[in-house]
Amino acid sequence: MAQNDDRRVAVLRAIVEDYVATREPVGSRALVERHALGVSPATIRNDMAALEDGGYIAQPHTSAGRVPTDKGYRLFVDRLDDIKPLSGPERRAIAAFLEDAVDLDDVVDRSVRLLAQLTHQVAVVQYPSLRRSALRHVELVAVGARHLLVVLITRTGRVEQRTVELEAPLDELVVTQLRARLNVAVAGRVLADLGTVREDLRQAFPPADRPLVDAVLAVVEETLALEGEERIVLAGTANLARGGSPDFGRSLGPVLEALEEQVVLLRLLSDMAEDEATVTVRIGRENQHEGLVETSFVTTGYGTGDGSAVARIGSVGPLRMDYPGTMAAVRAVARYLSRTLAG
């Protein structure tokens, strides 16, 4: 479709909006009655024929109406002028709901349930990645003559702890000095930055104490690099089944099975993180998983207020999705999630 063919895009937009609202194939008569497109019925029929020839709409079965295809939904999303903002009451409700969270687990749980309620679809929240999370504090606690507990606290509120076994007995004074110097060196840094502080930190201690420094830095880096710690939380799976699953031409089983495979969702989220768009939308076969070919996935990143994303949040629903509304809800919850973590 030519980029300057605004009229046919307007017809496609009207078809998408009507189909999302009614679940019924859309005919030219309905478009004339419901939308002020400013052209004759004959012109609309011609535009619909051109859209069908271009693969943007299709005729299901023997119905006189048309429904959008994956390609049509993609053009509709790409031509959205703006994402409509949520209402004032909706924004205030999101803020109030998330501000009462007591820790990271509670924040994630509240966010995923809230997004599922707003979209009436499946909500997905990825836990903050340790690899991309900046450190807030490192605590060192002697738990024996040769054992040291290393506690990592990230700016997202994630807490991880590991125990280090040392060859030589611990010196409490050296542990205290290392704790102080370590926090000055690594506060606000992510895994990729730690290599630059290692040698400076080692040189701050006499050779006899450097094995302790090396052991602690090694466990910090190893913990932050653990990909196995990546996980996601889902809510609203039952939303897909409401109404007898009319949006899925086959069994809902493959969709639910795909959603249960965290590896699949994590891979999709990782791929979508590379998109430069503020809100990323994958439609149908763009999801590159057979179980998700009849779904769309809307995601965006969230972080701690410094502009960098540490994980993603999103919504999975049928192709017949309220794309502007879903995109607005995902973006709004992500923003408040970021503010909550930054606070």
Side-chain angles (χ1 to χ4, degrees):
M1 178 179 292
Q3 291 294 310
N4 60 357
D5 199 345
D6 294 335
R7 190 188 68 242
R8 285 177 183 168
V9 171
V11 171
L12 175 63
R13 183 180 297 115
I15 292 171
V16 171
E17 291 173 353
D18 278 9
Y19 183 58
V20 168
T22 67
R23 292 185 178 179
E24 297 293 335
V26 182
S28 59
R29 178 179 298 178
L31 293 179
V32 171
E33 294 173 350
R34 298 171 186 166
H35 301 271
L37 295 172
V39 294
S40 68
T43 299
I44 291 178
R45 286 193 294 273
N46 289 337
D47 287 341
M48 291 180 70
L51 289 168
E52 187 169 8
D53 289 342
Y56 298 96
I57 59 176
Q59 183 179 28
H61 311 299
T62 58
S63 166
R66 302 294 187 274
V67 300
T69 62
D70 288 16
K71 186 178 180 181
Y73 284 124
R74 168 50 59 196
L75 181 61
F76 171 79
V77 170
D78 290 345
R79 292 293 189 92
L80 284 175
D81 296 327
D82 196 13
I83 303 174
K84 65 181 181 182
L86 297 185
S87 67
E90 286 175 321
R91 293 196 300 271
R92 287 191 292 273
I94 293 173
F97 190 64
L98 294 184
E99 285 171 358
D100 290 338
V102 297
D103 56 23
L104 177 61
D105 289 340
D106 195 20
V107 170
V108 171
D109 180 67
R110 286 170 178 258
S111 298
V112 74
R113 288 190 289 115
L114 178 62
L115 185 56
Q117 291 170 7
L118 288 172
T119 62
H120 305 293
Q121 296 168 169
V122 178
V124 179
V125 177
Q126 180 185 19
Y127 259 76
S129 165
L130 286 171
R131 185 180 291 273
R132 293 187 294 273
S133 295
L135 286 166
R136 174 177 290 165
H137 183 74
V138 179
E139 186 57 55
L140 305 178
V141 182
V143 291
R146 288 184 170 83
H147 290 84
L148 187 68
L149 180 66
V150 181
V151 182
L152 307 182
I153 304 174
T154 71
R155 286 188 172 176
T156 59
R158 188 161 175 175
V159 179
E160 297 289 330
Q161 61 184 37
R162 301 289 186 274
T163 300
V164 180
E165 184 175 0
L166 304 162
E167 294 183 0
L170 286 167
D171 183 323
E172 285 284 0
L173 179 58
V174 176
V175 171
T176 300
Q177 293 173 342
L178 177 56
R179 180 192 300 114
R181 290 182 180 275
L182 182 62
N183 278 292
V184 170
V186 305
R189 293 180 179 269
V190 298
L191 174 63
D193 301 331
L194 298 188
T196 62
V197 307
R198 175 185 289 277
E199 194 56 34
D200 289 342
L201 197 57
R202 293 183 82 253
Q203 293 301 323
F205 290 85
D209 296 329
R210 288 174 188 170
L212 172 62
V213 177
D214 290 339
V216 170
L217 281 175
V219 78
V220 170
E221 293 177 347
E222 289 168 6
T223 302
L224 293 179
L226 283 176
E227 289 297 334
E229 294 294 326
E230 300 298 326
R231 59 193 178 102
I232 56 177
V233 178
L234 299 179
T237 305
N239 288 333
L240 295 183
R242 292 201 170 98
S245 308
D247 291 303
F248 300 96
R250 54 183 182 175
S251 169
L252 188 58
V255 179
L256 298 178
E257 289 173 6
L259 293 176
E260 289 176 358
E261 296 181 35
Q262 295 222 348
V263 173
V264 170
L265 294 180
L266 284 169
R267 185 172 65 246
L268 280 171
L269 290 169
S270 178
D271 290 344
M272 296 172 83
E274 299 177 3
D275 196 313
E276 295 182 357
T278 303
V279 179
T280 303
V281 182
R282 291 282 179 87
I283 299 169
R285 296 196 175 276
E286 293 174 356
N287 289 307
Q288 297 181 345
H289 189 281
E290 187 62 27
L292 299 175
V293 296
E294 294 183 329
T295 68
S296 288
F297 201 175
V298 179
T299 74
T300 192
Y302 72 88
T304 54
D306 60 357
S308 59
V310 296
R312 295 188 76 79
I313 181 173
S315 183
V316 181
L319 296 172
R320 191 196 62 84
M321 172 190 289
D322 174 11
Y323 289 94
T326 299
M327 293 166 73
V330 168
R331 184 180 64 176
V333 175
R335 286 177 174 177
Y336 283 103
L337 176 55
S338 296
R339 292 177 192 174
T340 301
L341 294 177

